[in-house]
């Protein structure tokens, strides 16, 4: 019987660990199981203030449910609320696809935990306290009390801000105390871990760990960059825990730390543990979250964080395909942005960075376009050779190699065959005597000698030594030769073909339009006022949906249209596809018109299969109030009053109407390579916004259908 019990316990503890997705085959963290009732409720009630946060995060595809990470968090909540089953039944927990260290609770009993918080945690107990803190917010109805605090008209905006945030700081302290005394104290979690919780909050913006960024990451034995590419020392981390919290929603970390220390002083930590579930399981869950944070960084083109964290993760996970491809994608993205002059947006100035990552930012900001181009080429060549069947890697490699040939205009003759440390004077060149008796023609001899050894000169810099090993690889030589010839042929054909004809688009997938109307909400607004404004926006959005559907039908497109109603009825498989598509579009926006293959193009075949078409249209409409008194309004009023008095009443009526500045954009992109097929946008100020929106949308689809 004891043996049987031991086996059961072993399976109970081990199987959850074994059930975790393998990091060797990691791709991205998907939702699993049945789609939760909260999804349908939130998506079908977009004007319900209590569901507003869920509607926002579900609508962006950022909520993860049913995964191994969710199951891990649910077990922590089970431990915290083991003595309060009624409250446990009210709590639902979701993971948010964000690398920020954060968690929040809603008045509907939903707790959301960011991936970043789990990725940065040191143990299970830290996560347990954060969850207990959020449960306390819900149990004490703090979210409702925050709403009440904002009601009432206060003339002084700063005074209103300070009063609200002072109250908010008070409830944070109350939530800490209630969480410890009511929930945490009744669990088996360690009190010693509470010190680490505030370190987590204070230093959560840093990489997953602090480790020196070494030169070997970007250098080889045959080339090295100048010493001024590297900092002699990095700036120490100066994050403060005793900052002035007057303008903050939370009391400063030092105050919270001291408050918690006072609460637990004298508490007995005997029998308490950092891990209630196994430590190995915690580490596996944390690693999954860290891997997914890399996906988030690459989606947002936050390449410096992606690069440093991949550098760290590869130490414990060498030869991991996900990390290898992520690193290659990072090099590729940096190269594309560097060549297209918006590099500072994806690699911030090193002066803004603290700690060891500052070295990385400094080094990569020192690289020239050509140096970064070659670094990307080196990495992609080796990664593609490692995974020869990966089409996405092949496409990035070709793009980077093409840029080196066309943009940088560099050939093999620009790269030395000898290492940087080799003295050119020591190189002995063998002279080949002319063979006058040979039957080969002089042209054949010229072709044979074209790839002669390149001896470095005094003008050579680090860049010119960066392909020593790859020039000795026949496969690389052959690849670059073929690519160069093909590019030359394409340029000739492009010059001959003076007619650039656009292909008419007949098949298309249309994403649910994004619509926002900026309305000035009174200071004393209630939830009903907010719901009224949201209802108005939903009605306007439904009208845009009808315009899109009418345009597609009228122009006889073969199409699939993902309306808000259709999205609300998704199952888990459809929701995961929706999430992929949302991440794809988010990255498209973050690329900021840079011509490059998006990181999420690696999922293009899956997306095309699910969407039905490779061309997808995204529609964006944003309306904001414009100045009432405008020159053109007075001009029209005066003109029609003088020359056509019969329409004065209509002119006066239009004059009194409020004006809106409307921004409309229609982007048509090819999922296969991320290229923009159509990008059309306009800003318009006037009173006929609805008519103009309808016209603009129809005209955009008309131009697509006609190939204009």
């Amino acid at each position: 019987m004891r043996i049987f019990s031991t086996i059961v316990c072993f399976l109970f503890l081990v199987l959850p660990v074994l059930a975790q997705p393998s990091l060797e085959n990691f791709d991205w963290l998907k939702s699993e199981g049945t789609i939760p009732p909260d999804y349908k409720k939130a998506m079908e009630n977009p004007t319900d203030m209590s569901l507003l946060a869920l509607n926002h995060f579900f609508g962006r595809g950022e909520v993860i449910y049913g995964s191994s990470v969710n199951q891990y968090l649910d077990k922590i909540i089970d431990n915290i609320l083991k003595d309060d089953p009624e409250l446990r039944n009210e709590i639902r927990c979701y993971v948010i696809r964000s690398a920020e260290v954060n968690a929040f609770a809603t008045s509907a009993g939903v707790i959301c935990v960011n991936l970043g918080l789990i990725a940065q945690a040191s143990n299970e107990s830290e996560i347990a306290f954060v969850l207990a803190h959020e449960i306390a917010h819900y149990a004490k109805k703090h979210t409702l009390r925050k709403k009440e605090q904002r009601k009432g008209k206060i003339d002084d905006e700063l005074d209103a801000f300070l009063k609200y945030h002072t109250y908010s700081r008070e409830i944070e302290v109350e939530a800490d105390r209630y969480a410890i005394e009511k929930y945490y104290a009744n669990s088996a979690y360690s009190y010693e871990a509470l010190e680490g919780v505030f370190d987590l909050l204070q230093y959560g913006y840093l990489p997953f760990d602090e480790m020196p960024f070494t030169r070997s990451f970007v250098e080889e034995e045959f080339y090295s960059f100048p010493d001024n590419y590297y900092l002699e020392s990095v700036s120490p981390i100066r994050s403060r825990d005793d900052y002035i919290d007057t303008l903050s929603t939370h009391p400063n970390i030092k105050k919270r730390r001291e408050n918690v220390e006072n609460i637990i002083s004298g508490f007995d930590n005997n029998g308490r543990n950092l891990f209630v579930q196994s430590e190995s399981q915690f580490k596996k869950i944390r690693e999954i979250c860290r891997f997914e944070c890399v996906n988030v960084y690459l989606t947002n083109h936050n390449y410096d964080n992606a690069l440093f964290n991949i550098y760290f993760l590869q130490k414990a996970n060498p030869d991991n395909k996900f990390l290898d491809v992520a690193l290659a994608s990072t090099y590729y993205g940096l190269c594309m942005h560097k060549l297209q002059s918006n590099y500072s947006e994806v690699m911030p100035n090193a002066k803004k960075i603290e700690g060891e990552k500052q070295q990385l930012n400094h080094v990569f900001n020192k690289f020239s376009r050509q140096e970064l181009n070659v670094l990307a080429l080196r990495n992609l060549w080796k990664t593609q050779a490692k995974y020869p069947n990966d089409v996405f890697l092949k496409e990035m490699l070709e793009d980077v190699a093409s840029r080196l040939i066309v943009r940088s205009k560099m050939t093999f003759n620009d790269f030395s065959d000898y290492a940087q440390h080799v003295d050119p004077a020591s190189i002995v060149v063998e002279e080949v005597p002319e063979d006058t008796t040979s039957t080969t023609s002089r042209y054949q001899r010229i072709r044979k000698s074209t790839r002669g050894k390149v001896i470095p000169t005094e003008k050579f810099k680090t860049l010119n030594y960066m392909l020593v090993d790859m020039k000795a690889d026949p496969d690389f030589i052959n690849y670059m030769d073929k690519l160069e010839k093909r590019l030359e042929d394409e340029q000739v054909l492009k010059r001959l073909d003076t007619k650039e004809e656009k292909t008419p688009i007949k098949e298309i997938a249309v994403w649910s339009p994004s619509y926002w109307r900026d309305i000035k909400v009174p200071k004393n607004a209630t939830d009903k006022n907010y719901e009224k404004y949201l209802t108005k926006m939903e009605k306007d959005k439904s009208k845009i949906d009808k315009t899109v559907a009418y345009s597609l039908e009228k122009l006889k497109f073969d199409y699939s249209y993902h309306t808000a109603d259709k999205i609300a009825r998704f199952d888990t498989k459809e929701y995961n596809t929706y999430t992929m598509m949302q991440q794809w579009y988010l990255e498209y926006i973050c690329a900021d018109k840079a011509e490059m293959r998006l990181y999420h193009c690696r999922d293009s075949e899956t997306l095309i299969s699910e969407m039905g078409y490779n061309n997808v249209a995204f529609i964006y409409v944003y309306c904001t109030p414009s100045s009432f008194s405008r020159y053109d309004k007075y001009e029209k009023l005066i003109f029609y009053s003088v020359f056509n008095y019969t329409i004065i009443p209509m002119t006066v009526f239009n004059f009194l109407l409020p004006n809106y500045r409307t921004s409309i954009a229609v982007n048509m992109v090819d999922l296969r390579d991320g290229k923009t097929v159509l990008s059309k946008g306009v800003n318009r100020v006037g009173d006929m916004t609805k008519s103009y929106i309808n016209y603009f949308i129809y005209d955009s689809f008309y131009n697509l259908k006609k190939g204009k």
Side-chain angles (χ1 to χ4, degrees):
M1 188 67 182
R2 284 185 178 179
I3 295 175
F4 177 75
S5 300
T6 303
I7 293 173
V8 170
C9 291
F10 173 80
L11 292 175
F12 178 80
L13 292 173
V14 174
L15 284 180
V17 180
L18 297 178
Q20 310 302 335
S22 170
L23 291 176
E24 291 303 317
N25 301 313
F26 186 85
D27 184 16
W28 63 288
L29 189 59
K30 304 176 181 67
S31 293
E32 298 178 28
T34 305
I35 200 162
D38 285 317
Y39 173 82
K40 187 174 182 180
K41 190 176 180 182
M43 299 307 288
E44 290 183 345
N45 298 280
T47 62
D48 188 333
M49 291 297 292
S50 66
L51 300 171
L52 203 58
L54 274 184
N55 177 270
H56 171 79
F57 287 109
F58 270 124
R60 290 167 60 98
E62 293 178 346
V63 176
I64 304 169
Y65 60 84
S67 72
S68 57
V69 180
N70 295 84
Q71 294 167 26
Y72 184 78
L73 295 178
D74 282 336
K75 287 179 181 178
I76 296 177
I77 297 174
D78 289 341
N79 292 327
I80 294 170
L81 297 179
K82 66 180 186 299
D83 297 329
D84 197 339
E86 185 176 344
L87 178 59
R88 178 64 187 97
N89 289 334
E90 296 177 21
I91 300 295
R92 289 93 66 209
C93 184
Y94 299 113
V95 177
I96 303 298
R97 203 181 302 275
S98 168
E100 298 292 326
V101 173
N102 196 18
F104 64 89
T106 75
S107 59
V110 170
I111 295 175
C112 294
V113 180
N114 285 3
L115 286 164
L117 187 142
I118 307 169
Q120 296 280 7
S122 299
N123 52 66
E124 183 183 340
S125 291
E126 291 178 358
I127 302 172
F129 175 74
V130 172
L131 289 170
H133 177 91
E134 298 305 329
I135 292 170
H137 276 314
Y138 169 71
K140 300 292 285 183
K141 301 188 185 305
H142 286 161
T143 52
L144 297 176
R145 287 163 62 183
K146 284 182 182 179
K147 290 182 194 175
E148 292 170 4
Q149 184 65 20
R150 76 166 181 241
K151 296 177 185 176
K153 189 173 181 179
I154 305 174
D155 293 332
D156 190 340
E157 289 288 344
L158 180 59
D159 184 48
F161 184 84
L162 293 177
K163 284 185 177 180
Y164 164 71
H165 289 295
T166 299
Y167 191 78
S168 178
R169 293 199 302 277
E170 290 172 357
I171 65 176
E172 288 301 319
V173 172
E174 182 183 0
D176 283 343
R177 177 175 292 276
Y178 195 78
I180 292 172
E181 296 177 346
K182 182 70 174 176
Y183 308 123
Y184 198 86
N186 295 325
S187 72
Y189 290 110
S190 172
Y191 291 127
E192 293 178 353
L194 297 183
E195 174 72 17
V197 171
F198 298 103
D199 291 334
L200 171 63
L201 298 176
Q202 184 177 353
Y203 300 110
Y205 65 94
L206 295 171
F208 301 143
D209 204 349
E210 280 289 285
M211 59 183 297
F213 181 78
T214 60
R215 298 177 68 140
S216 61
F217 187 73
V218 291
E219 293 183 355
E220 298 288 346
E221 61 180 359
F222 48 85
Y223 74 84
S224 61
F225 293 104
D227 289 340
N228 67 349
Y229 275 42
Y230 303 91
L231 295 169
E232 292 184 4
S233 62
V234 297
S235 299
I237 297 168
R238 300 184 182 277
S239 179
R240 293 174 54 193
D241 63 356
D242 61 343
Y243 54 86
I244 298 174
D245 58 8
T246 307
L247 299 179
S248 173
T249 59
H250 288 60
N252 71 42
I253 292 172
K254 184 178 180 181
K255 290 179 182 178
R256 287 187 68 189
R257 194 193 303 267
E258 291 173 351
N259 177 60
V260 168
E261 286 175 355
N262 289 333
I263 295 172
I264 65 174
S265 61
F267 282 23
D268 186 4
N269 198 56
N270 287 331
R272 293 179 170 275
N273 301 292
L274 293 174
F275 306 94
V276 173
Q277 301 176 72
S278 69
E279 183 176 358
S280 61
Q281 188 173 2
F282 163 77
K283 289 182 176 179
K284 185 67 175 292
I285 291 296
R286 184 178 64 179
E287 204 77 340
I288 290 171
C289 292
R290 288 176 170 180
F291 273 43
E292 187 58 28
C293 281
V294 170
N295 275 334
V296 173
Y297 291 137
L298 290 173
T299 297
N300 295 313
H301 287 206
N302 192 345
Y303 289 128
D304 61 329
N305 280 330
L307 192 59
F308 193 91
N309 284 309
I310 293 169
Y311 170 68
F312 164 71
L313 290 169
Q314 282 188 325
K315 301 293 183 183
N317 301 277
D319 298 321
N320 178 279
K321 183 179 179 181
F322 169 78
L323 293 177
D324 286 343
V325 174
L327 180 60
S329 301
T330 304
Y331 269 115
Y332 171 79
L334 286 169
C335 175
M336 293 299 105
H337 280 280
K338 186 78 170 181
L339 293 173
Q340 298 178 62
S341 302
N342 55 351
Y343 187 69
S344 61
E345 297 176 13
V346 299
M347 182 59 68
N349 192 304
K351 293 180 180 179
K352 301 177 182 179
I353 311 298
E354 297 176 342
E356 297 295 343
K357 193 169 79 69
Q358 186 183 47
Q359 185 73 270
L360 180 147
N361 286 67
H362 181 79
V363 171
F364 275 80
N365 275 305
K366 280 286 187 180
F367 288 145
S368 68
R369 290 175 179 175
Q370 290 93 340
E371 287 170 343
L372 195 50
N373 199 160
V374 175
L375 278 172
L377 176 63
R378 288 185 58 81
N379 180 273
L380 277 160
W381 176 257
K382 292 180 179 179
T383 309
Q384 190 272 330
K386 198 172 180 181
Y387 309 104
N389 297 323
D390 194 306
V391 176
F392 179 58
L393 287 171
K394 290 180 180 178
E395 292 172 343
M396 289 194 296
L397 172 63
E398 182 175 314
D399 204 355
V400 164
S402 299
R403 303 276 177 161
L404 187 67
I405 295 168
V406 177
R407 175 70 183 266
S408 300
K409 300 187 184 304
M410 298 191 76
T411 66
F412 283 113
N413 290 332
D414 295 306
F415 295 96
S416 171
D417 284 280
Y418 300 91
Q420 192 172 7
H421 60 266
V422 175
D423 182 4
S426 67
I427 299 173
V428 178
V429 181
E430 295 182 5
E431 294 186 7
V432 180
E434 184 177 356
D435 184 3
T436 56
T437 63
S438 174
T439 57
T440 58
S441 69
R442 70 187 185 96
Y443 298 111
Q444 289 174 314
R445 293 197 298 274
I446 289 173
R447 283 199 297 271
K448 287 182 179 180
S449 63
T450 300
R451 189 75 68 236
K453 295 282 187 179
V454 176
I455 300 173
T457 69
E458 59 182 14
K459 294 182 179 180
F460 273 27
K461 298 179 180 179
T462 300
L463 172 67
N464 305 101
Y465 296 94
M466 291 176 68
L467 292 182
V468 170
D469 57 337
M470 292 169 67
K471 286 187 71 176
D473 182 351
D475 291 335
F476 179 71
I477 297 294
N478 186 46
Y479 175 83
M480 294 297 287
D481 273 342
K482 286 183 177 179
L483 180 62
E484 185 175 4
K485 290 174 184 176
R486 201 191 80 202
L487 291 172
E488 288 175 352
D489 291 344
E490 288 177 357
Q491 287 181 333
V492 171
L493 292 173
K494 189 175 181 180
R495 290 177 182 177
L496 294 175
D497 187 11
T498 56
K499 296 180 180 179
E500 293 187 9
E501 295 184 2
K502 291 187 177 181
T503 305
I505 303 295
K506 298 179 181 179
E507 301 175 336
I508 188 173
V510 182
W511 209 241
S512 178
S514 298
Y515 175 79
W516 181 258
R517 189 180 183 90
D518 192 8
I519 301 171
K520 293 183 178 179
V521 181
K523 297 176 190 175
N524 60 345
T526 64
D527 278 355
K528 288 186 178 180
N529 295 130
Y530 280 96
E531 288 174 2
K532 178 182 175 182
Y533 299 138
L534 291 172
T535 301
K536 177 68 169 63
M537 279 199 291
E538 286 302 312
K539 287 182 179 178
D540 289 344
K541 186 177 183 300
S542 66
K543 291 177 182 177
I544 294 175
D545 280 334
K546 291 179 181 178
T547 298
V548 173
Y550 171 81
S551 302
L552 295 171
E553 286 290 339
K554 186 73 174 177
L555 295 168
K556 298 181 179 178
F557 275 98
D558 292 328
Y559 70 92
S560 62
Y561 186 20
H562 295 267
T563 62
D565 290 340
K566 183 177 180 180
I567 292 170
R569 298 191 300 271
F570 277 167
D571 58 21
T572 294
K573 180 182 177 183
E574 291 169 324
Y575 176 73
N576 281 327
T577 302
Y578 175 78
T579 296
M580 291 171 65
M581 194 68 247
Q582 288 288 74
Q583 296 298 301
W584 197 102
Y585 186 51
L586 175 59
E587 189 191 358
Y588 175 79
I589 295 171
C590 292
D592 194 23
K593 298 181 180 179
E595 294 182 6
M596 60 183 293
R597 278 171 173 76
L598 304 179
Y599 175 63
H600 288 284
C601 282
R602 74 195 200 286
D603 302 318
S604 59
E605 292 304 318
T606 302
L607 285 171
I608 292 169
S609 175
E610 295 294 331
M611 299 290 290
Y613 307 102
N614 62 288
N615 291 313
V616 180
F618 299 94
I619 301 168
Y620 170 86
V621 181
Y622 175 64
C623 297
T624 184
S626 178
S627 173
F628 178 81
S629 299
R630 292 190 0 259
Y631 172 78
D632 61 323
K633 292 182 72 173
Y634 288 104
E635 186 180 56
K636 288 179 182 178
L637 181 63
I638 295 170
F639 179 83
Y640 289 121
S641 298
V642 174
F643 295 102
N644 196 348
Y645 64 87
T646 58
I647 60 171
I648 288 178
M650 180 61 70
T651 305
V652 172
F653 175 76
N654 286 332
F655 179 83
L656 296 175
L657 284 174
N659 288 304
Y660 280 86
R661 178 180 296 278
T662 303
S663 300
I664 318 171
V666 176
N667 290 312
M668 169 82 138
V669 295
D670 190 333
L671 293 177
R672 292 170 300 192
D673 53 18
K675 290 184 178 179
T676 302
V677 179
L678 171 76
S679 181
K680 190 175 181 183
V682 70
N683 291 313
R684 178 181 172 86
V685 178
D687 49 3
M688 302 296 287
T689 55
K690 293 179 182 177
S691 300
Y692 190 79
I693 290 171
N694 293 340
Y695 157 75
F696 185 87
I697 290 173
Y698 182 88
D699 185 62
S700 298
F701 285 121
Y702 176 82
N703 289 333
L704 281 172
K705 187 67 183 287
K706 298 299 181 181
K708 293 185 177 181

